[in-house]
Amino acid sequence: MNAVFINGWGIPQDRARALLEGLGLFESVAIVQPVRQWKELAAGLSSKADVLIGYSTGAFLLLDNLEFARSFERRVLLAPFLDFKAEAGLGGKTRAVQLKYLLEWLARDPLGACLLYTSDAADE
């Protein structure tokens, strides 16, 4: 069985590949990062895939693109969420005040907000 895996933000591509290949369920796994052109990347792999898997942000993207998801014979959504905000009770873990702060920071200094996030994430 061949799979297309629409990744989330929390797992690096090489780690996702290692986890999925380690399961021994798939002959091949194509990892698609949740980037702007994710749908085009995944569509190019659809003819070779038996299953479409969306993880976290990837599941969210598929929920928002049901017609595309239906183009695959089998679909699996792992850890889907419908709203970022924890207060919505729809799977998100981010408090609304944190999201508001980040959006204001991104509007004011996009590069600074992203660079700080990247350097913090690299320390973990």
Side-chain angles (χ1 to χ4, degrees):
M1 181 176 348
N2 299 317
V4 172
F5 183 80
I6 312 298
N7 204 358
W9 288 344
I11 298 181
Q13 187 171 350
D14 57 341
R15 178 96 168 111
R17 181 177 305 288
L19 288 169
L20 289 164
E21 289 176 351
L23 293 173
L25 298 173
F26 309 107
E27 292 175 38
S28 71
V29 178
I31 308 291
V32 176
Q33 292 299 99
V35 294
R36 186 167 297 190
Q37 67 276 19
W38 71 270
K39 195 183 326 184
E40 292 79 11
L41 295 169
L45 302 164
S46 64
S47 64
K48 303 171 193 162
D50 302 300
V51 62
L52 175 65
I53 304 167
Y55 168 71
S56 189
T57 304
F60 174 77
L61 292 170
L62 294 175
L63 284 169
D64 199 40
N65 291 272
L66 292 176
E67 283 305 311
F68 174 77
R70 288 185 184 117
S71 68
F72 288 77
E73 184 177 334
R74 299 165 109 182
R75 298 156 303 274
V76 177
L77 302 179
L78 302 170
F81 62 90
L82 300 174
D83 194 318
F84 265 141
K85 298 179 297 302
E87 295 87 346
L90 296 172
K93 304 271 185 210
T94 304
R95 292 189 347 241
V97 68
Q98 291 172 300
L99 186 57
K100 181 180 180 203
Y101 176 79
L102 180 57
L103 291 172
E104 289 171 357
W105 187 6
L106 284 167
R108 184 177 64 252
D109 179 15
L111 186 58
C114 291
L115 288 176
L116 181 61
Y117 174 78
T118 301
S119 64
D120 286 349
D123 293 340
E124 293 179 2

